[in-house]
Structures are given as structure tokens and as C-alpha cells.
Amino acid sequence: MSANARRTAVRRSATRRTAALLLGAALVTLSATACNSTGGSSVSTEAKQTAAAPGNGTDAAKPAESKPADTAKAPAKVGDTIALKGNDPADTADVTLVKVVDTAEGADEFTHPADGKRFVAIQFRIKASGKKAYSDVPANSAKVLDAQGQAFGTTIADTKAGPSFQVPANIAPGESALGFVTFEVPKDAKLDKAQFGLDSGFAPQTGQWKLG
């Protein structure tokens, strides 16, 4: 085969690979759109209320104090739990943003952020609250946003902050798992919010926590 023929074959092969990648991306987008088309999408900032511990003596008999109906609820923050829904009604989870470790160190001498970047490790607790087990990759489900609204996805890196989630994370109904996900963000980025959604972020509902 001549040199020109080889170059032509390489170009055709590259074109076919590019077309296949674009088709795959389009199919993923169409699948996600189909899943979300029935109920729309929303961002939940409301922390799940935990039941108060029972009182002693006369305290248990006191009625709960009523609060004004128009009182604005503070957005969820570090330590709060948000109840989230997946595309399947049986797929729900209570997700808690447990801890934020800013400027986290890589787990070993070979793990470093790129120049001008820093690692931020966020620990989540995921409880499978529905009838279905949670089976997903939490790193696909999380992102952080800075004060300007710029979003940053996760990176594949372990840090000294603590263990990452197993891949995939498989959690039986009623049980929970704890793990870190890692982000690589600009050194001067001022992170403002963290988000998490089921179904690798394609669920119709996204939980959002205020950082700091």
C-alpha cells in the first residue's frame, strides 16, 4: 500500500472513530433527556428535618411551638441531609454532606494537583432510603460551584482526607456508605456550593449545600 493510501486509510479510520464517539454522546444525551422529560428538574436546598429526641417528665407533654408559615428556611449546609429522588420512584436516598477538606494532600507522593490548582475533598454519606439499592458512582454525581457560578466536576484522585467511595458504590436499602470525592479547582477559586444528584447526576432532582 502506498504512503498516500495509508494516510487516506488512517484519516477514514479517525473519522469513523469520531463519528462513533459523537453518536455515543448523542445517545447518552437522548437517554438522559428521556428519563428527565416527565417530571422536569429541580434543585433542593432544604435540609431533611430529624425527629427530636423525646423529653422527660412534663417536657414530653409540651406541644411543639408553632412557627410563622412564611419563615424562610436557611439553605442546607455542611452537616445537613437532603432527601433526593432518582428517575425511578423506588430509587431515593438521603445524602449528607459530612465534611469539606480544602487544599487536601494527595494520598501518595505521585498524586498532585496540576500547577495553579488545588485538591478539595468532600465527604458524603449516602443512605439508600427507597425500595431499591443504590448502585452508582458517587464521583459522577457531585460537583462544586464558585461564587460566580462556575461549576467544577470531580477528578480521579485519592487524598489523605480519607477513603474514597468504592466504584461502583452498592448500598442495600436502609443501609448507608461513607466516602470522599475529590475536585481539582483553581487555587484562587472561592467555592460557594456543592451539589449531588442520583443516577450519576441525571436524576430530575439535585441537592445543593451552601459551603462556608
Side-chain angles (χ1 to χ4, degrees):
M1 181 184 292
S2 67
N4 287 336
R6 284 197 296 271
R7 284 195 292 270
T8 300
V10 168
R11 284 198 297 270
R12 287 176 178 172
S13 177
T15 300
R16 285 195 295 269
R17 288 196 299 269
T18 301
L21 289 172
L22 291 174
L23 177 59
L27 290 174
V28 170
T29 302
L30 288 172
S31 176
T33 301
C35 289
N36 289 324
S37 61
T38 56
S41 60
S42 64
V43 176
S44 175
T45 63
E46 183 176 345
K48 184 176 181 180
Q49 300 300 311
T50 55
N56 296 321
T58 57
D59 290 342
K62 292 182 180 179
E65 295 182 5
S66 60
K67 296 182 180 180
D70 59 349
T71 300
K73 294 182 179 179
K77 59 186 184 303
V78 176
D80 286 338
T81 300
I82 297 178
L84 295 176
K85 300 176 182 178
N87 288 299
D88 187 331
D91 183 14
T92 63
D94 291 342
V95 180
T96 306
L97 195 160
V98 179
K99 184 189 298 184
V100 178
V101 180
D102 206 338
T103 316
E105 294 184 47
D108 54 49
E109 59 182 312
F110 305 105
T111 306
H112 303 283
D115 290 343
K117 302 288 186 69
R118 74 182 194 271
F119 284 147
V120 176
I122 295 185
Q123 188 181 45
F124 289 98
R125 181 182 298 278
I126 305 170
K127 179 179 180 180
S129 60
K131 296 180 180 179
K132 289 182 61 177
Y134 173 95
S135 182
D136 203 350
V137 180
N140 290 344
S141 305
K143 61 183 176 182
V144 291
L145 296 88
D146 65 15
Q148 285 72 46
Q150 174 67 53
F152 303 95
T154 59
T155 187
I156 301 174
D158 291 325
T159 71
K160 292 181 179 179
S164 302
F165 283 101
Q166 292 296 308
V167 179
N170 295 305
I171 308 170
E175 297 184 0
S176 63
L178 185 70
F180 278 92
V181 295
T182 305
F183 303 86
E184 188 175 30
V185 304
K187 280 187 176 180
D188 59 352
K190 296 181 180 179
L191 299 185
D192 184 53
K193 300 178 182 72
Q195 293 185 341
F196 192 98
L198 303 185
D199 299 321
S200 286
F202 286 112
Q205 184 186 29
T206 299
Q208 178 173 283
W209 293 260
K210 180 77 173 176
L211 303 178

